[in-house]
Amino acid sequence: LNSISGKSVRKPSVTITDADVVEVLLTLRKGRMHWKPVMRAARLGDQIAITYSVTWRGRIIEAQENTPQFVVLGSESFHKTIEHRYLLGARQGENISATVLLPRNYPNFDMAGRRVVFNMLVIGICKPVLPSLNRQFALDLGLSSGGTKTIIKEVRGVMQRNIDAMIKHSI
């Protein structure tokens, strides 16, 4: 190895901000989120349960009529156009027919790039509910006691230990 004599070595410095802690806490809360049924029109971020069939030239090419499909509006996990144009604002019990162009990378190669009709039934709508930063949340995280202050202190401590370990291994 070459000598580092006479050379300077800088140790990285990282400061954990309150915003950093808030971001980690939000991520932890989202990981323990649950869904609460609502009786209103579907909004962005809601989870909507639908059954559907897809037809092309009057022939059913795909059907999910017995098993509900759960779609989080805005996630674009189902079909972007359908989520934004047809399911946003939908209500439980509503039947929706949507004519859309399937993307070229659609899993069913024979149907990729074709115009099809989605016939959907909205079974239910749920809103996301984040857990509170309280004693129960602390217990869920594996902390033996405490509430909000304990959770924040522990999260900041874990973040600092992770940073310290990364700095130690990078030098």
Side-chain angles (χ1 to χ4, degrees):
L1 291 175
N2 294 332
S3 172
I4 61 169
S5 178
K7 303 206 181 198
S8 64
V9 177
R10 277 199 191 159
K11 181 178 178 182
S13 174
V14 178
T15 302
I16 299 170
T17 66
D18 289 343
D20 296 329
V21 174
V22 167
E23 187 177 330
V24 169
L25 288 170
L26 182 59
T27 300
L28 290 170
R29 291 173 68 211
K30 283 181 178 178
R32 288 160 177 78
M33 177 176 67
H34 68 274
W35 299 98
K36 180 180 179 183
V38 292
M39 296 302 292
R40 59 160 170 74
R43 300 176 186 162
L44 274 178
D46 284 349
Q47 181 188 68
I48 186 167
I50 60 169
T51 56
Y52 70 92
S53 64
V54 182
T55 60
W56 180 63
R57 295 184 175 171
R59 190 186 75 195
I60 294 177
I61 58 168
E62 185 178 340
Q64 286 289 333
E65 295 174 322
N66 297 324
T67 306
Q69 172 83 28
F70 296 94
V71 179
V72 177
L73 297 181
S75 69
E76 300 177 6
S77 62
F78 183 62
H79 189 289
K80 182 179 179 177
T81 302
I82 291 175
E83 285 183 37
H84 291 277
R85 192 173 293 156
Y86 297 97
L87 296 179
L88 203 57
R91 294 188 173 277
Q92 183 174 336
E94 187 174 351
N95 283 297
I96 300 168
S97 181
T99 302
V100 296
L101 183 64
L102 293 176
R104 296 243 178 251
N105 62 349
Y106 191 71
N108 181 337
F109 181 74
D110 293 335
M111 299 313 299
R114 298 190 189 266
R115 193 165 299 283
V116 298
V117 177
F118 278 78
N119 295 300
M120 300 166 283
L121 171 63
V122 178
I123 297 172
I125 301 165
C126 294
K127 70 176 185 176
V129 178
L130 296 175
S132 299
L133 293 176
N134 56 22
R135 185 176 306 276
Q136 183 57 53
F137 190 72
L139 291 171
D140 291 345
L141 291 177
L143 303 174
S144 58
S145 64
T148 305
K149 289 181 181 178
T150 303
I151 295 168
I152 292 170
K153 180 180 174 187
E154 187 63 29
V155 164
R156 188 178 289 274
V158 168
M159 292 172 73
Q160 188 62 58
R161 287 189 295 276
N162 288 340
I163 288 169
D164 293 345
M166 285 189 285
I167 290 172
K168 181 179 178 182
H169 293 321
S170 69
I171 297 178

